[in-house]
Structure formats: C-alpha cells, structure tokens
Amino acid sequence: MKEITDIFKALSDKNRLRILMMLTRRPLCVCEIQNVLSITVSTVSKHLSILRDIGLIIDEKDGKWVNYRLNTFSENPYLQQVLIMLPMWLCNDELIKSDLKKIESVDRNVICST
C-alpha cells in the first residue's frame, strides 16, 4: 500500500500535475518549467525530485541541459496507468490548456541564458 500512497501524495500537488501534463508534449528543462509555472527554480526542482523519486519522470543529461521526461518505460503497472489516465482526466482543464500552449513557444536558449 505504501507504493500507492506515495504515488497519490506525488499527484496531490497542482504544480506537479501541471509538470506531468507539460511533459506529455516534450522533454523540458527546469528553466522552461519554471517559466511556464512562474514559481522559483528551487520549487520546480523540489517538485521534479518528488516525481523522479517515485518513478513518474526521468532525467537525462544533454550537454549543459538536464531534460526531464515522462518515464514511459516504467515496468510499474501503477505508474503506467497514471501516465495513461492523467491526460484523459486533465485534458479539459483551462490551466492545463494554457500551460500546453505556453510550452509551444518556450525557448530554453532565450530564458535559460538570462
């Protein structure tokens, strides 16, 4: 039961749900996520750490960037189901729609260099 409660704890935060939904579109770095959510980099990092620790996302080093993406290769059936269901549950949420629109124009080369 601990595994399931940990998953639900991770999903209990609105910003973590927003991050997961953004990652359904493409891998993102911390500064891109921070730009869309308008929260501090340290807060974004904490959210990413929680999502990574339970296995919903993974990070990959790419030169000077660390890209975060959904862990679609997880063998955990609970995580697989969450990743399938979240887009269906949240697809009509206005905030999610707004976030997904914003990530279309977020450019890490511009926002991360400042």
Side-chain angles (χ1 to χ4, degrees):
M1 185 177 297
K2 181 178 178 350
E3 182 178 20
I4 293 172
T5 58
D6 288 346
I7 292 169
F8 281 111
K9 284 178 187 176
L11 297 175
S12 69
D13 184 272
K14 174 176 70 170
N15 285 323
R16 288 194 286 271
L17 291 173
R18 292 172 70 191
I19 290 168
L20 289 170
M21 288 300 294
M22 286 188 283
L23 294 177
T24 65
R25 292 296 169 94
R26 65 180 173 99
L28 298 166
C29 69
V30 171
C31 60
E32 291 170 314
I33 295 168
Q34 186 271 332
N35 184 270
V36 173
L37 297 181
S38 297
I39 58 177
T40 66
V41 170
S42 62
T43 302
V44 170
S45 294
K46 180 64 178 169
H47 288 312
L48 290 169
S49 175
I50 291 167
L51 294 171
R52 185 182 54 236
D53 288 349
I54 65 162
L56 280 167
I57 65 170
I58 57 175
D59 57 10
E60 299 172 322
K61 184 84 169 129
D62 179 23
K64 69 177 185 174
W65 312 109
V66 176
N67 294 314
Y68 293 87
R69 67 175 181 86
L70 296 178
N71 185 6
T72 56
F73 299 107
S74 172
E75 293 183 17
N76 182 318
Y78 304 123
L79 297 179
Q80 290 174 358
Q81 288 299 308
V82 165
L83 293 176
I84 290 168
M85 297 305 296
L86 272 180
M88 290 191 290
W89 293 333
L90 296 172
C91 67
N92 293 318
D93 184 88
E94 292 303 320
L95 185 56
I96 297 296
K97 288 179 183 179
S98 174
D99 291 346
L100 296 177
K101 183 74 175 158
K102 286 178 188 175
I103 65 166
E104 292 176 11
S105 62
V106 168
D107 182 353
R108 68 177 59 186
N109 294 304
V110 173
I111 61 172
C112 299
S113 64
T114 57

